[in-house]
Amino acid sequence: MLQRKKLIEVALPLAKINEASAREKSMRHGHPSTLHPWWSRKPTSTARAVIFAQVVDDPASVPEEFPTPAAQERERRRLFSLIKRLVVWEYTTNERVLEDARAAIRRAWARECLGAAAVARMRDDDIAARMADGTIPPLPPFHDPFAGGGALPLEAQRLGFVASAGDLNPVATLINKAMIEIPPRFAGLPPVNPTKQDDRRLLAHEWRGVHGLAEDVRYYGEWMRAEAQRRIGRLYPPVVVTPEMAADRPDLRPLIGARLTVIAWLWARTVKSPNPAFARADAPLATTFVLSRRPGREAYVEPIIDGADYAFTVRVAGTPAFDPAAYERAKRGTQAGGSGKPFLCLLSGTPILFDYLRSEAQAGRMGARLKAIVAKGPRGRLYLPPTPEHEAVARSAQPEWAPDAPLHGKARDQAPRYGMETFADLFTPRQIVALTTFADLVGEAMERVKRDALAAGWPDDPTPLRNGGRGATAYAEAVGTYLAFAVDKCSDYWSSICCWHVSRETIGHTFARQAIPMAWDYAEVNPFSDSTGSWKTMADWTWKALASLPARAEGAAIQADAQTQAPARNAILSTDPPYYDNIGYADLSDFFYVWLRRALKPVFPDLFATVAVPKAEELVATPYRHGSKQAAERFFMEGMTKALQNLAAQAHPAFPVTIYYAYKQRENLGDLGARASSPHARDPHAGGTPALPGTPALPGTPALPGTPALPGISSTGWETFLEAVVRAGFAITGTWPMRTELGNRQNAMETNALASSIVLVCRPRPATAPIAARREFMTALKAELPRALADLHQAAIAPTDLAQAAIGPGMAVFSRFAAVRDATGRAMPVREALALINQTLDETLAEQEGEFDAATRWALAWFAQHGFAEGEFGEAETLSKAKNASVEAMVGAGIVESKRGKVRLLLPKEVAAASSRSPLPPHAGDGTGRGDGEAGPVWAATHRLIHALDTGGEQAAAALVARLGSRADSARDLAYRLYAICERKQRAAEALAYNGLVQSWSEVVRLAAETSAARSEQTTFL
């Protein structure tokens, strides 16, 4: 079979894909990710773009239809335009856009079946008709063996493929069933709930997709809420505004006697005071007493001390009792100096050391004290003081059952240090009562759904959902599955790990990062309010996400090990494997499994046969399971190699395999001396420095000789994974850094805030692949990496991602050989190949310096040594002679200041100011004699662009690019080089500026082209 290159192996509109992926992370209602929590779920826009580009042909590989380079480029631009529309979130359900994509996919498949010459004469509707009547075979199936959160199989299904998903984890398997397997069975059907008989709106509704199923999830979810409130509503009473509350609160006086719905109860954990004089007092462990930081709505808790006891009251802005100084003091709660410091006894000021705190907690002597009540007021949140009645009601809850499964691995982050050994310990008794009530109501809801379905005329087919049933029984179980998902979503918000976000005035959720941290202050949500975290909001998220699912072609999800999965041969494969040791999926998913098991064990007895999620076979490098780091690495390597070999054996020969990998490499520039802001109070002895949100990590290849290593390097996961790829027999034919991970995503808080995944495009390595000598590999690397680097620059790959992206072309060279051997015959390992790739990348970047003007070369060398700080004039003069420049000329060029024997580089704003004061004459300052656009050192152009972008945005930068002409590309290249220097020197602020310029480059150039075109039209008109 002729192997045509696919679009993803040649080119992608990467900037637009990444832009859409980043934007998608802020989507909520209707997004598939809100169906059920999962870690490291890829953006649907990225998944759609990758799968589409993986199966459509690059025009250059179809000369029968596109015989000239110009025709090929026109078609490539058309495909790019389609991808740019395809990735827009608002077009996710736009059938016109999706059908255009499906038509392109069908055409590519028809070429494989009939030959390109025959298809060149066919219209899209002819191809569709021939596929419908069987003249052209159906599309190959799609399979993802590490399906996880299900974004990849879901988007394959949306693009028209029959999709299958495999995962060892039962929670992930159920998520995939809910996304691709269950919806197609019940597509196009009306709801069965009784209200449809009387509701003209519902009767007139065209029940497209699974809107009918979603409507039933909504309806029976509301029934569950009403029934739960009838059973346990007494545990969640309204708060009555009393005259005492309103005594110094003018804002409450009109509400005296009002019964307000509580949004949340805010608690602080307590231990007995270590001071013997106050040994009976419960000392609050409050990280903050602030309730709201919103301007004009500030509020805080004020402790009122009365001898050996205390009480809490609430002060709000705009009332006489509000004290700005007390508000500032309230920010640190009872901690001595802020986060990470010991707590102080509120009554005596005695330090509560962490050793004492842990011993008390582990002895079962840690309690909680109600700090404040958040209620729904006529015009927003109202903060009220705690009442004895509300505290007593909370303590009256007595659960009859609790999830007593022990915490393992990644779930044992900090909580076990404080006596929390089981999942039940993560919840208050009242929360357990609420969750068990709703979980048990799922079964009762299923009975009602079945009864109503039979009344609506559904067949009384007893075949269960797990066996492919489509009758009343299966439909009731389908509705129950989504209702159980709503319970799981509630558990994420109904634990004692959830904190109150004082900036947003809302509750946070348990998994603010990929572990279970400790929370000293926690918020207990009211399930029966309408605010964030309530049953209504969680159920609404669930049915709205369900309504957005494609429900097109059939799908299947299986619980199976990726090493042994055996879906249909000749499949299109795209997958997102585990990231070495980054995420303990099995350990963490027990949190959700315990509630799903209670609600759905009769529906899926095989999935929920075990007390906890299976862990031993999970492909993550977890030392506690294997006895040592070395054994864990060996387990991962062997298992991943086998899984990828299995993948290669199943792959369709006409299509490459795409593999995502976001990896824990090392601390990035944002980590230096900074911690991520988190609503959780961190244990100061927990260790580790979190990454700043949204700041990607850089690859962990070994440092070059003479280059100081950065702290925190941990590249084992990446090296081990690439080694498995090579051992599995894959050759890498393309790599793309995708902005799939953001700092606010669920799986990347603090411990590993990566911005990018690398998408590896792989094909099985030919059996005839040669063995290369080390010199041959290096020759090929030095010949090909510079060209690849130029392409990456042209694609405006962010400097933060450049080293990651460059690994791809380097590994493409390495993996095309059966082996690379040194003079002794030893096969080169991936670790050594990565070091050589990194070295070649650095040499290539260094060689680019020779293309810059003399002033810029001097500035680069000075910047590497001093940054923007001052240095001695003598040193500057000596360096200028070596670079064939002069300090005086650089002062005149507006990039340097020289005073009193000191020299320093001007800051971007100073470069811009100097340029505006003294415009350079043509060709001044660089000696190049170029006549395109503005002249002067490239250094000046780069820093003027940074200033323009910072002060005037992309439009201002575009205007300057239009004036710079071809020198703008040199300015961009310099930004890459400067970022590399900052990365080594750990200069975070400057690095962010250079990274930002390149990240904006595509849009800046587009705007600049529009500006130039407009000027040209104006000139022509005049």
Coordinates of all heavy atoms in Angstrom, one line a residue, residues 889-950:
A889 N 29.1 53.9 20.0 CA 28.1 53.7 18.9 C 26.8 53.1 19.5 O 25.7 53.4 19.0 CB 28.7 52.8 17.8
M890 N 26.9 52.2 20.4 CA 25.7 51.6 21.0 C 24.9 52.6 21.9 O 23.7 52.5 21.9 CB 26.2 50.3 21.8 CG 26.6 49.2 20.8 SD 27.1 47.7 21.6 CE 28.6 48.2 22.4
V891 N 25.6 53.5 22.5 CA 24.9 54.6 23.2 C 24.1 55.4 22.2 O 23.0 55.7 22.4 CB 25.9 55.4 24.0 CG1 25.2 56.7 24.5 CG2 26.5 54.7 25.1
G892 N 24.8 55.7 21.1 CA 24.1 56.4 20.0 C 22.9 55.7 19.4 O 21.9 56.3 19.0
A893 N 23.1 54.3 19.4 CA 22.0 53.5 18.8 C 20.8 53.3 19.8 O 19.8 52.8 19.4 CB 22.6 52.1 18.4
G894 N 21.0 53.8 21.0 CA 19.9 53.8 21.9 C 19.6 52.5 22.6 O 18.5 52.1 23.0
I895 N 20.7 51.7 22.8 CA 20.5 50.4 23.5 C 21.4 50.3 24.8 O 21.2 49.4 25.6 CB 20.8 49.2 22.6 CG1 22.3 49.2 22.2 CG2 20.0 49.2 21.4 CD1 22.7 47.9 21.5
V896 N 22.3 51.3 25.0 CA 23.2 51.3 26.1 C 23.3 52.6 26.8 O 23.1 53.7 26.2 CB 24.6 50.8 25.7 CG1 25.7 51.1 26.7 CG2 24.6 49.3 25.3
E897 N 23.5 52.6 28.1 CA 23.7 53.8 28.9 C 25.2 53.7 29.5 O 25.5 52.6 30.0 CB 22.7 54.0 30.0 CG 23.0 55.2 30.9 CD 22.1 55.3 32.1 OE1 22.4 54.6 33.1 OE2 21.2 56.0 32.0
S898 N 26.0 54.7 29.3 CA 27.3 54.7 29.9 C 27.5 56.0 30.7 O 27.5 57.1 30.1 CB 28.4 54.7 28.7 OG 29.7 54.7 29.2
K899 N 27.7 55.8 32.0 CA 27.9 57.0 32.9 C 28.8 56.6 34.1 O 28.7 55.5 34.6 CB 26.5 57.4 33.5 CG 25.6 58.0 32.5 CD 24.3 58.5 33.3 CE 23.3 59.2 32.3 NZ 22.1 59.6 33.1
R900 N 29.7 57.5 34.4 CA 30.5 57.4 35.6 C 31.3 56.1 35.6 O 31.3 55.4 36.7 CB 29.7 57.7 36.8 CG 29.1 59.1 36.9 CD 28.4 59.3 38.2 NE 27.2 58.4 38.3 CZ 26.0 58.7 37.7 NH1 25.9 59.9 37.1 NH2 25.0 57.9 37.9
G901 N 31.8 55.6 34.5 CA 32.5 54.4 34.5 C 31.7 53.1 34.5 O 32.3 52.0 34.7
K902 N 30.4 53.3 34.4 CA 29.5 52.1 34.5 C 28.7 52.0 33.2 O 28.4 53.1 32.6 CB 28.5 52.2 35.6 CG 29.2 52.3 37.0 CD 29.8 50.9 37.4 CE 30.4 51.0 38.8 NZ 31.0 49.7 39.2
V903 N 28.4 50.8 32.8 CA 27.7 50.6 31.5 C 26.5 49.6 31.8 O 26.7 48.7 32.6 CB 28.6 50.0 30.4 CG1 27.8 49.6 29.2 CG2 29.6 51.0 30.0
R904 N 25.4 49.9 31.2 CA 24.3 48.9 31.4 C 23.4 49.0 30.1 O 23.4 50.0 29.4 CB 23.4 49.3 32.6 CG 22.6 50.5 32.5 CD 21.6 50.7 33.6 NE 20.8 52.0 33.5 CZ 19.7 52.0 32.9 NH1 19.1 51.0 32.3 NH2 19.0 53.2 32.8
L905 N 22.7 47.9 29.8 CA 21.8 47.8 28.8 C 20.5 48.5 29.2 O 20.1 48.4 30.3 CB 21.4 46.4 28.4 CG 22.5 45.6 27.7 CD1 22.2 44.1 27.8 CD2 22.6 46.0 26.2
L906 N 19.9 49.3 28.3 CA 18.7 50.0 28.5 C 17.5 49.0 28.6 O 17.5 48.0 27.8 CB 18.4 51.0 27.5 CG 19.4 52.2 27.4 CD1 19.0 53.2 26.3 CD2 19.5 52.9 28.7
L907 N 16.6 49.2 29.5 CA 15.4 48.4 29.5 C 14.5 48.7 28.3 O 14.7 49.7 27.6 CB 14.6 48.8 30.8 CG 15.3 48.5 32.1 CD1 14.5 49.1 33.3 CD2 15.4 47.0 32.3
P908 N 13.6 47.8 28.0 CA 12.7 47.9 26.8 C 12.1 49.3 26.7 O 12.0 49.9 25.7 CB 11.7 46.8 26.9 CG 12.5 45.7 27.6 CD 13.3 46.4 28.6
K909 N 11.5 49.8 27.8 CA 10.8 51.1 27.8 C 11.8 52.2 27.5 O 11.5 53.2 26.9 CB 10.1 51.3 29.1 CG 11.0 51.4 30.4 CD 10.1 51.6 31.6 CE 11.0 51.7 32.9 NZ 10.2 51.9 34.1
E910 N 13.1 52.0 28.0 CA 14.1 53.0 27.7 C 14.6 53.0 26.3 O 14.8 54.0 25.7 CB 15.3 52.8 28.7 CG 14.9 53.0 30.2 CD 16.1 52.7 31.1 OE1 16.7 51.6 30.9 OE2 16.3 53.4 32.0
V911 N 14.7 51.8 25.7 CA 15.0 51.7 24.3 C 14.0 52.4 23.4 O 14.3 53.1 22.5 CB 15.2 50.2 23.9 CG1 15.4 50.1 22.4 CG2 16.4 49.6 24.6
A912 N 12.7 52.1 23.8 CA 11.6 52.7 23.0 C 11.6 54.3 23.2 O 11.4 55.0 22.2 CB 10.3 52.2 23.5
A913 N 11.9 54.7 24.4 CA 12.0 56.2 24.6 C 13.1 56.8 23.9 O 13.0 57.9 23.2 CB 12.1 56.5 26.1
A914 N 14.3 56.1 23.9 CA 15.5 56.7 23.1 C 15.2 56.7 21.7 O 15.6 57.7 21.0 CB 16.7 55.8 23.4
S915 N 14.5 55.7 21.2 CA 14.2 55.7 19.7 C 13.2 56.8 19.4 O 13.4 57.5 18.3 CB 13.5 54.3 19.4 OG 13.1 54.3 18.1
S916 N 12.3 57.1 20.2 CA 11.3 58.2 19.9 C 12.0 59.6 20.0 O 11.6 60.5 19.3 CB 10.1 58.1 20.9 OG 10.5 58.4 22.2
R917 N 13.0 59.7 20.9 CA 13.7 61.0 21.0 C 14.7 61.2 19.8 O 14.8 62.3 19.4 CB 14.5 61.1 22.3 CG 13.6 61.2 23.6 CD 14.5 61.6 24.8 NE 15.5 60.6 25.0 CZ 15.4 59.5 25.8 NH1 14.3 59.3 26.4 NH2 16.4 58.7 26.0
S918 N 15.4 60.2 19.4 CA 16.4 60.3 18.4 C 16.3 59.2 17.4 O 16.9 58.2 17.4 CB 17.8 60.2 19.1 OG 17.9 61.2 20.1
P919 N 15.3 59.4 16.4 CA 15.2 58.4 15.4 C 16.5 58.2 14.6 O 17.2 59.1 14.4 CB 14.1 59.1 14.4 CG 13.4 60.1 15.3 CD 14.5 60.6 16.2
L920 N 16.8 56.9 14.4 CA 18.0 56.6 13.7 C 18.0 57.0 12.2 O 17.0 56.9 11.6 CB 18.3 55.1 13.8 CG 18.6 54.6 15.2 CD1 18.6 53.0 15.1 CD2 19.9 55.1 15.7
P921 N 19.1 57.5 11.7 CA 19.2 57.8 10.3 C 19.2 56.4 9.6 O 19.5 55.4 10.2 CB 20.6 58.5 10.1 CG 21.4 58.0 11.3 CD 20.4 57.9 12.4
P922 N 19.0 56.4 8.3 CA 19.0 55.1 7.6 C 20.3 54.4 7.8 O 21.4 55.0 7.7 CB 18.8 55.6 6.1 CG 18.1 56.9 6.2 CD 18.6 57.6 7.4
H923 N 20.2 53.1 8.1 CA 21.3 52.1 8.2 C 22.2 52.4 9.3 O 23.3 51.9 9.4 CB 22.1 52.1 6.9 CG 21.3 52.3 5.6 ND1 20.1 51.5 5.5 CD2 21.4 53.0 4.5 CE1 19.6 51.9 4.3 NE2 20.3 52.8 3.7
A924 N 21.8 53.3 10.3 CA 22.7 53.6 11.4 C 22.7 52.5 12.4 O 21.7 51.8 12.6 CB 22.2 54.9 12.1
G925 N 23.9 52.3 13.0 CA 24.0 51.5 14.2 C 24.2 50.0 13.9 O 24.5 49.3 14.9
D926 N 24.0 49.5 12.7 CA 24.3 48.1 12.5 C 25.3 47.8 11.4 O 25.8 46.7 11.4 CB 22.9 47.4 12.2 CG 22.3 47.8 10.9 OD1 22.8 48.7 10.3 OD2 21.3 47.2 10.6
G927 N 25.5 48.7 10.6 CA 26.5 48.5 9.6 C 26.1 47.5 8.5 O 27.0 47.0 7.7
T928 N 24.9 47.2 8.4 CA 24.4 46.2 7.4 C 24.2 46.8 6.1 O 24.2 46.1 5.0 CB 23.2 45.5 7.9 OG1 22.1 46.5 8.0 CG2 23.4 44.8 9.2
G929 N 23.8 48.1 6.1 CA 23.5 48.7 4.8 C 22.1 48.3 4.2 O 21.8 48.6 3.1
R930 N 21.3 47.6 5.0 CA 20.0 47.2 4.5 C 19.1 48.4 4.3 O 19.1 49.3 5.1 CB 19.4 46.2 5.5 CG 20.2 44.9 5.6 CD 19.6 44.0 6.7 NE 20.4 42.8 6.8 CZ 20.2 41.9 7.8 NH1 19.2 42.1 8.7 NH2 20.9 40.8 7.9
G931 N 18.2 48.2 3.4 CA 17.3 49.4 3.2 C 15.9 49.0 3.4 O 15.0 49.7 2.9
D932 N 15.6 47.9 4.1 CA 14.2 47.5 4.3 C 13.7 48.0 5.7 O 14.2 47.6 6.7 CB 14.0 46.0 4.2 CG 15.0 45.3 5.1 OD1 16.1 45.8 5.4 OD2 14.6 44.2 5.7
G933 N 12.7 48.8 5.6 CA 12.1 49.3 6.9 C 13.1 50.1 7.7 O 14.0 50.8 7.2
E934 N 12.8 50.1 9.1 CA 13.7 50.8 10.0 C 15.0 50.1 10.2 O 15.0 48.9 10.3 CB 12.9 51.0 11.3 CG 11.7 51.9 11.2 CD 11.2 52.3 12.6 OE1 11.8 51.9 13.6 OE2 10.2 53.1 12.6
A935 N 16.0 50.9 10.3 CA 17.4 50.3 10.6 C 17.7 50.3 12.0 O 16.9 50.7 12.9 CB 18.4 51.1 9.8
G936 N 18.9 50.0 12.4 CA 19.4 50.0 13.8 C 19.6 48.6 14.2 O 19.3 47.6 13.5
P937 N 20.2 48.4 15.4 CA 20.5 47.0 15.9 C 19.2 46.2 16.0 O 18.2 46.7 16.4 CB 21.2 47.3 17.2 CG 21.6 48.7 17.2 CD 20.7 49.4 16.3
V938 N 19.4 44.9 15.8 CA 18.2 44.0 16.0 C 17.9 44.0 17.5 O 16.7 43.9 17.8 CB 18.6 42.6 15.6 CG1 17.5 41.6 16.0 CG2 18.9 42.5 14.1
W939 N 18.8 44.2 18.4 CA 18.6 44.3 19.8 C 17.5 45.4 20.1 O 16.6 45.2 20.8 CB 19.8 44.6 20.5 CG 19.7 44.7 22.0 CD1 19.2 45.8 22.8 CD2 19.8 43.6 23.0 NE1 19.2 45.4 24.1 CE2 19.5 44.1 24.2 CE3 20.2 42.3 22.8 CZ2 19.6 43.3 25.4 CZ3 20.3 41.5 24.0 CH2 20.0 42.0 25.2
A940 N 17.7 46.6 19.4 CA 16.7 47.7 19.6 C 15.4 47.3 19.1 O 14.3 47.6 19.8 CB 17.2 48.9 18.9
A941 N 15.3 46.6 18.0 CA 14.0 46.3 17.4 C 13.3 45.3 18.3 O 12.1 45.4 18.6 CB 14.2 45.6 16.0
T942 N 14.0 44.3 18.8 CA 13.3 43.3 19.7 C 12.8 44.0 21.0 O 11.6 43.7 21.4 CB 14.3 42.2 20.1 OG1 14.8 41.6 19.0 CG2 13.7 41.2 21.1
H943 N 13.5 44.9 21.6 CA 13.1 45.5 22.8 C 12.0 46.6 22.6 O 11.2 46.8 23.5 CB 14.3 46.0 23.6 CG 15.1 44.8 24.2 ND1 16.0 44.2 23.4 CD2 15.0 44.1 25.3 CE1 16.6 43.2 24.1 NE2 16.0 43.1 25.3
R944 N 12.1 47.2 21.5 CA 11.0 48.1 21.1 C 9.7 47.3 20.9 O 8.6 47.8 21.3 CB 11.3 48.9 19.9 CG 12.4 50.0 20.1 CD 12.8 50.6 18.8 NE 11.7 51.3 18.1 CZ 11.7 51.8 16.9 NH1 12.7 51.6 16.1 NH2 10.6 52.4 16.4
L945 N 9.8 46.2 20.3 CA 8.6 45.3 20.1 C 8.0 44.8 21.4 O 6.8 44.8 21.6 CB 8.9 44.1 19.2 CG 9.0 44.4 17.7 CD1 9.7 43.2 17.0 CD2 7.6 44.6 17.2
I946 N 8.9 44.5 22.3 CA 8.4 44.1 23.7 C 7.7 45.2 24.4 O 6.6 45.0 25.0 CB 9.6 43.6 24.5 CG1 10.1 42.2 24.0 CG2 9.2 43.5 26.0 CD1 11.3 41.7 24.6
H947 N 8.3 46.4 24.3 CA 7.6 47.6 24.9 C 6.3 47.9 24.2 O 5.3 48.2 24.9 CB 8.5 48.8 24.8 CG 7.9 50.0 25.4 ND1 7.7 50.2 26.7 CD2 7.4 51.1 24.8 CE1 7.2 51.4 27.0 NE2 7.0 52.0 25.8
A948 N 6.2 47.8 22.9 CA 5.0 48.1 22.2 C 3.9 47.0 22.6 O 2.7 47.4 22.8 CB 5.2 48.0 20.7
L949 N 4.3 45.8 22.6 CA 3.3 44.7 23.0 C 2.8 44.9 24.4 O 1.7 44.8 24.7 CB 4.0 43.4 22.9 CG 3.1 42.1 23.1 CD1 2.1 42.1 22.0 CD2 4.0 40.9 23.0
D950 N 3.7 45.4 25.3 CA 3.4 45.5 26.7 C 2.5 46.7 26.9 O 1.6 46.7 27.8 CB 4.7 45.7 27.5 CG 4.4 45.7 29.0 OD1 3.6 44.9 29.5 OD2 4.9 46.7 29.7

